[in-house]
Amino acid sequence: MKKSLTVALTAVMLTAACSSGTNANSGSDGGGDDKTLTLASVDQGSIEDVIKAFEAANPGVKVNFTTSGADQYQAQIRTQLSSGTAPDVMTVWPGNGNPGATYVLSKPGYLLDLSDQPWAAKLPDAFKTVAQYEGKTYNALFGLNGIGAVYNDDALAKSGLQAPTTWTELLGFCRDAAGKGTPAFALGIQDNWVTQLVLYGLAATVVFGQDRDFNTKLAAGQVTFAGSAWTTAMAKYQEMNKAGCFQRNPLGTSYEASQTLAASGKTLGIVQGNWIISLLKKKNPSGKFTMTALPATDEPATFLMPAAAGAGYGVNAKAKNKDLALKFITYVMSPEGMKLFNEKQGSLPTLPDAGTTVDPGLKELTTFVQENRTVPFMDQLWPNAKVQQTMLSGLQEVFSNQASPESVLKDMDAEYKKG
């Protein structure tokens, strides 16, 4: 049975990862068909029903939309905005962590100021921090996401194994699962954004469990990646790989293919964001999937989970149909739209009155949020998008034995210092 959740989220600050892109004509106010909206969305599998509901509530309106992978979208969006080919509404990540993030797109004036929209003042302060640039709101953040180990309940039961609750148990679980011919976790790092998720799941406890103020100290130059517990998190990531936690050839496995492995029971689960549950259910409608914190030490009481505002929506400052774009954003942030989006996506609401019914597989994430046992997604307050990109490409090189974890962290420090 699903459990209704209405919570005011005040302790989380940052985002997660997927994305999309499209070509759309740009223009000035009133310059085009006021019944057609162009949209580029990261929310594959959950945006479709939201669009249908919006069109039904606005007879005669048509939403032309596309979705694509995060890597492709992030490579395209700034080019589209600068060349005048971007859509009216587009996915925008919170904070400053990647090429499609709020700070990155707001600074050059690509996004419309949404500060006067009625929902903007209702965002919890933690979300405002990453939805705004220089005190103005540019990002409609509708959902909270977390990162953890997501298990295929049926596959787990069939294996005779139990989900691990400590780091020692995790390594044993991986070895036992590999011995049975069904690896513990699918890992699709052919798409480089996926490389960060296991690391973030480990770093939440290993780095921020020791020091909740690590990001503040990093910004002040008091600590570094290479001289901190990030080295431990990196080492544990590699230890998981050596223990057989992942299927063969993660570098040759796409994000899409990793979903199929976990949904079909060819792996016992996957380390991902909670959004993965709706995608797994799409591939396996009868399946049940449960998210837990990824064990990083042998002290479960100290575990933290990464949790943050997920990707939201921004409006092109040169949108062909600004009025219709704002109407769509208003719908997404309304109780009706947010509830539909959250339930379809498998996320938690950013506003307390959405009435979202949360997937029962997210019970542990919900508890961690309520108990303030979460930390922001690590990249969102880094000073530039290059830090994350260096990490992502560096992790792929680590898996292909072309780089060491130590060199990746040093490269991240170098990029971070550039501001």
PDB file of all heavy atoms in Angstrom, residues 12 41 46 63 141 162 183 188 190 224 228 263 269 279 286 336 345 347 371 387:
ATOM      1  N   VAL A  12      17.792  20.019   2.434  1.00  0.00           N
ATOM      2  CA  VAL A  12      18.535  19.600   1.262  1.00  0.00           C
ATOM      3  C   VAL A  12      18.726  20.751   0.306  1.00  0.00           C
ATOM      4  O   VAL A  12      17.959  21.677   0.271  1.00  0.00           O
ATOM      5  CB  VAL A  12      17.804  18.450   0.554  1.00  0.00           C
ATOM      6  CG1 VAL A  12      18.162  17.135   1.179  1.00  0.00           C
ATOM      7  CG2 VAL A  12      16.325  18.664   0.594  1.00  0.00           C
ATOM      8  N   SER A  41      13.018  18.082 -22.305  1.00  0.00           N
ATOM      9  CA  SER A  41      12.908  17.563 -20.940  1.00  0.00           C
ATOM     10  C   SER A  41      13.830  16.383 -20.696  1.00  0.00           C
ATOM     11  O   SER A  41      14.050  15.553 -21.569  1.00  0.00           O
ATOM     12  CB  SER A  41      11.468  17.125 -20.666  1.00  0.00           C
ATOM     13  OG  SER A  41      11.367  16.518 -19.396  1.00  0.00           O
ATOM     14  N   SER A  46       8.232  10.188 -17.566  1.00  0.00           N
ATOM     15  CA  SER A  46       7.335  10.844 -16.619  1.00  0.00           C
ATOM     16  C   SER A  46       6.783  12.161 -17.151  1.00  0.00           C
ATOM     17  O   SER A  46       5.721  12.602 -16.717  1.00  0.00           O
ATOM     18  CB  SER A  46       8.060  11.092 -15.286  1.00  0.00           C
ATOM     19  OG  SER A  46       9.290  11.747 -15.476  1.00  0.00           O
ATOM     20  N   VAL A  63       1.941  20.680 -27.119  1.00  0.00           N
ATOM     21  CA  VAL A  63       3.315  20.723 -26.614  1.00  0.00           C
ATOM     22  C   VAL A  63       4.179  19.820 -27.483  1.00  0.00           C
ATOM     23  O   VAL A  63       3.969  18.604 -27.530  1.00  0.00           O
ATOM     24  CB  VAL A  63       3.399  20.271 -25.142  1.00  0.00           C
ATOM     25  CG1 VAL A  63       4.854  20.308 -24.656  1.00  0.00           C
ATOM     26  CG2 VAL A  63       2.524  21.149 -24.254  1.00  0.00           C
ATOM     27  N   LEU A 141      11.709  24.122  -9.461  1.00  0.00           N
ATOM     28  CA  LEU A 141      12.126  22.833  -8.904  1.00  0.00           C
ATOM     29  C   LEU A 141      10.918  22.140  -8.295  1.00  0.00           C
ATOM     30  O   LEU A 141      10.353  22.613  -7.314  1.00  0.00           O
ATOM     31  CB  LEU A 141      13.201  23.049  -7.834  1.00  0.00           C
ATOM     32  CG  LEU A 141      14.484  23.753  -8.298  1.00  0.00           C
ATOM     33  CD1 LEU A 141      15.398  24.007  -7.107  1.00  0.00           C
ATOM     34  CD2 LEU A 141      15.202  22.920  -9.354  1.00  0.00           C
ATOM     35  N   GLN A 162      20.422 -11.418   1.181  1.00  0.00           N
ATOM     36  CA  GLN A 162      19.738 -10.293   1.810  1.00  0.00           C
ATOM     37  C   GLN A 162      20.488  -9.003   1.518  1.00  0.00           C
ATOM     38  O   GLN A 162      21.718  -8.996   1.427  1.00  0.00           O
ATOM     39  CB  GLN A 162      19.636 -10.501   3.326  1.00  0.00           C
ATOM     40  CG  GLN A 162      18.740 -11.662   3.719  1.00  0.00           C
ATOM     41  CD  GLN A 162      18.550 -11.759   5.231  1.00  0.00           C
ATOM     42  OE1 GLN A 162      19.311 -11.170   5.991  1.00  0.00           O
ATOM     43  NE2 GLN A 162      17.530 -12.492   5.643  1.00  0.00           N
ATOM     44  N   PRO A 183      25.288 -10.633 -10.848  1.00  0.00           N
ATOM     45  CA  PRO A 183      26.002  -9.549 -10.152  1.00  0.00           C
ATOM     46  C   PRO A 183      25.068  -8.687  -9.309  1.00  0.00           C
ATOM     47  O   PRO A 183      23.866  -8.599  -9.574  1.00  0.00           O
ATOM     48  CB  PRO A 183      26.614  -8.745 -11.300  1.00  0.00           C
ATOM     49  CG  PRO A 183      26.716  -9.708 -12.435  1.00  0.00           C
ATOM     50  CD  PRO A 183      25.531 -10.608 -12.305  1.00  0.00           C
ATOM     51  N   GLY A 188      26.059   1.368 -15.673  1.00  0.00           N
ATOM     52  CA  GLY A 188      26.088   1.771 -17.078  1.00  0.00           C
ATOM     53  C   GLY A 188      26.888   3.030 -17.298  1.00  0.00           C
ATOM     54  O   GLY A 188      26.332   4.084 -17.621  1.00  0.00           O
ATOM     55  N   GLN A 190      28.945   3.822 -19.625  1.00  0.00           N
ATOM     56  CA  GLN A 190      29.170   4.306 -20.982  1.00  0.00           C
ATOM     57  C   GLN A 190      28.640   5.736 -21.083  1.00  0.00           C
ATOM     58  O   GLN A 190      29.192   6.565 -21.799  1.00  0.00           O
ATOM     59  CB  GLN A 190      28.465   3.388 -21.979  1.00  0.00           C
ATOM     60  CG  GLN A 190      28.721   3.715 -23.436  1.00  0.00           C
ATOM     61  CD  GLN A 190      27.996   2.744 -24.361  1.00  0.00           C
ATOM     62  OE1 GLN A 190      26.896   3.031 -24.834  1.00  0.00           O
ATOM     63  NE2 GLN A 190      28.588   1.579 -24.575  1.00  0.00           N
ATOM     64  N   THR A 224      40.942  20.037   0.548  1.00  0.00           N
ATOM     65  CA  THR A 224      40.987  19.708  -0.878  1.00  0.00           C
ATOM     66  C   THR A 224      40.358  18.338  -1.102  1.00  0.00           C
ATOM     67  O   THR A 224      40.167  17.567  -0.156  1.00  0.00           O
ATOM     68  CB  THR A 224      42.427  19.681  -1.403  1.00  0.00           C
ATOM     69  OG1 THR A 224      43.151  18.630  -0.721  1.00  0.00           O
ATOM     70  CG2 THR A 224      43.125  21.015  -1.182  1.00  0.00           C
ATOM     71  N   SER A 228      41.652  14.725   1.372  1.00  0.00           N
ATOM     72  CA  SER A 228      40.521  14.510   2.278  1.00  0.00           C
ATOM     73  C   SER A 228      39.985  13.090   2.162  1.00  0.00           C
ATOM     74  O   SER A 228      40.542  12.244   1.467  1.00  0.00           O
ATOM     75  CB  SER A 228      39.396  15.493   1.933  1.00  0.00           C
ATOM     76  OG  SER A 228      38.807  15.144   0.683  1.00  0.00           O
ATOM     77  N   ALA A 263      16.065  -4.399 -14.164  1.00  0.00           N
ATOM     78  CA  ALA A 263      14.622  -4.666 -14.253  1.00  0.00           C
ATOM     79  C   ALA A 263      14.341  -6.137 -14.503  1.00  0.00           C
ATOM     80  O   ALA A 263      13.372  -6.693 -13.981  1.00  0.00           O
ATOM     81  CB  ALA A 263      14.007  -3.817 -15.363  1.00  0.00           C
ATOM     82  N   GLY A 269      20.254  -5.512  -8.543  1.00  0.00           N
ATOM     83  CA  GLY A 269      19.856  -4.124  -8.341  1.00  0.00           C
ATOM     84  C   GLY A 269      20.723  -3.177  -9.131  1.00  0.00           C
ATOM     85  O   GLY A 269      21.399  -3.573 -10.091  1.00  0.00           O
ATOM     86  N   LEU A 279      11.396   3.941 -14.109  1.00  0.00           N
ATOM     87  CA  LEU A 279      11.922   3.405 -15.362  1.00  0.00           C
ATOM     88  C   LEU A 279      12.016   1.882 -15.307  1.00  0.00           C
ATOM     89  O   LEU A 279      11.743   1.194 -16.298  1.00  0.00           O
ATOM     90  CB  LEU A 279      13.288   4.015 -15.661  1.00  0.00           C
ATOM     91  CG  LEU A 279      13.313   5.538 -15.846  1.00  0.00           C
ATOM     92  CD1 LEU A 279      14.736   6.031 -16.030  1.00  0.00           C
ATOM     93  CD2 LEU A 279      12.440   5.949 -17.028  1.00  0.00           C
ATOM     94  N   SER A 286       5.392  -5.705 -13.300  1.00  0.00           N
ATOM     95  CA  SER A 286       5.023  -6.483 -12.118  1.00  0.00           C
ATOM     96  C   SER A 286       6.115  -6.470 -11.051  1.00  0.00           C
ATOM     97  O   SER A 286       5.937  -7.031  -9.966  1.00  0.00           O
ATOM     98  CB  SER A 286       4.735  -7.941 -12.510  1.00  0.00           C
ATOM     99  OG  SER A 286       5.903  -8.571 -13.034  1.00  0.00           O
ATOM    100  N   GLU A 336      -1.692  19.903  -8.426  1.00  0.00           N
ATOM    101  CA  GLU A 336      -2.102  18.876  -9.389  1.00  0.00           C
ATOM    102  C   GLU A 336      -0.920  18.427 -10.248  1.00  0.00           C
ATOM    103  O   GLU A 336      -0.657  17.235 -10.410  1.00  0.00           O
ATOM    104  CB  GLU A 336      -3.215  19.412 -10.291  1.00  0.00           C
ATOM    105  CG  GLU A 336      -3.668  18.417 -11.357  1.00  0.00           C
ATOM    106  CD  GLU A 336      -4.663  19.017 -12.328  1.00  0.00           C
ATOM    107  OE1 GLU A 336      -5.003  20.211 -12.178  1.00  0.00           O
ATOM    108  OE2 GLU A 336      -5.090  18.293 -13.255  1.00  0.00           O
ATOM    109  N   GLN A 345       7.350  10.172 -11.701  1.00  0.00           N
ATOM    110  CA  GLN A 345       8.807  10.145 -11.677  1.00  0.00           C
ATOM    111  C   GLN A 345       9.350   9.329 -10.513  1.00  0.00           C
ATOM    112  O   GLN A 345      10.452   8.787 -10.574  1.00  0.00           O
ATOM    113  CB  GLN A 345       9.350  11.577 -11.597  1.00  0.00           C
ATOM    114  CG  GLN A 345      10.862  11.688 -11.731  1.00  0.00           C
ATOM    115  CD  GLN A 345      11.340  13.096 -11.471  1.00  0.00           C
ATOM    116  OE1 GLN A 345      11.166  13.630 -10.372  1.00  0.00           O
ATOM    117  NE2 GLN A 345      11.941  13.708 -12.470  1.00  0.00           N
ATOM    118  N   SER A 347       9.563  10.772  -7.335  1.00  0.00           N
ATOM    119  CA  SER A 347      10.305  11.734  -6.528  1.00  0.00           C
ATOM    120  C   SER A 347       9.433  12.259  -5.401  1.00  0.00           C
ATOM    121  O   SER A 347       8.233  11.981  -5.339  1.00  0.00           O
ATOM    122  CB  SER A 347      10.801  12.892  -7.402  1.00  0.00           C
ATOM    123  OG  SER A 347       9.729  13.515  -8.089  1.00  0.00           O
ATOM    124  N   GLU A 371      14.545  12.777   8.892  1.00  0.00           N
ATOM    125  CA  GLU A 371      15.465  12.782  10.030  1.00  0.00           C
ATOM    126  C   GLU A 371      16.714  13.635   9.788  1.00  0.00           C
ATOM    127  O   GLU A 371      17.647  13.617  10.588  1.00  0.00           O
ATOM    128  CB  GLU A 371      15.881  11.344  10.361  1.00  0.00           C
ATOM    129  CG  GLU A 371      14.727  10.477  10.849  1.00  0.00           C
ATOM    130  CD  GLU A 371      15.139   9.043  11.141  1.00  0.00           C
ATOM    131  OE1 GLU A 371      16.311   8.690  10.852  1.00  0.00           O
ATOM    132  OE2 GLU A 371      14.315   8.282  11.669  1.00  0.00           O
ATOM    133  N   VAL A 387      34.551  21.154 -12.893  1.00  0.00           N
ATOM    134  CA  VAL A 387      34.947  20.244 -11.812  1.00  0.00           C
ATOM    135  C   VAL A 387      34.234  18.905 -11.969  1.00  0.00           C
ATOM    136  O   VAL A 387      34.851  17.836 -11.923  1.00  0.00           O
ATOM    137  CB  VAL A 387      34.640  20.851 -10.427  1.00  0.00           C
ATOM    138  CG1 VAL A 387      35.108  19.901  -9.324  1.00  0.00           C
ATOM    139  CG2 VAL A 387      35.307  22.205 -10.264  1.00  0.00           C
TER     140      VAL A 387
END
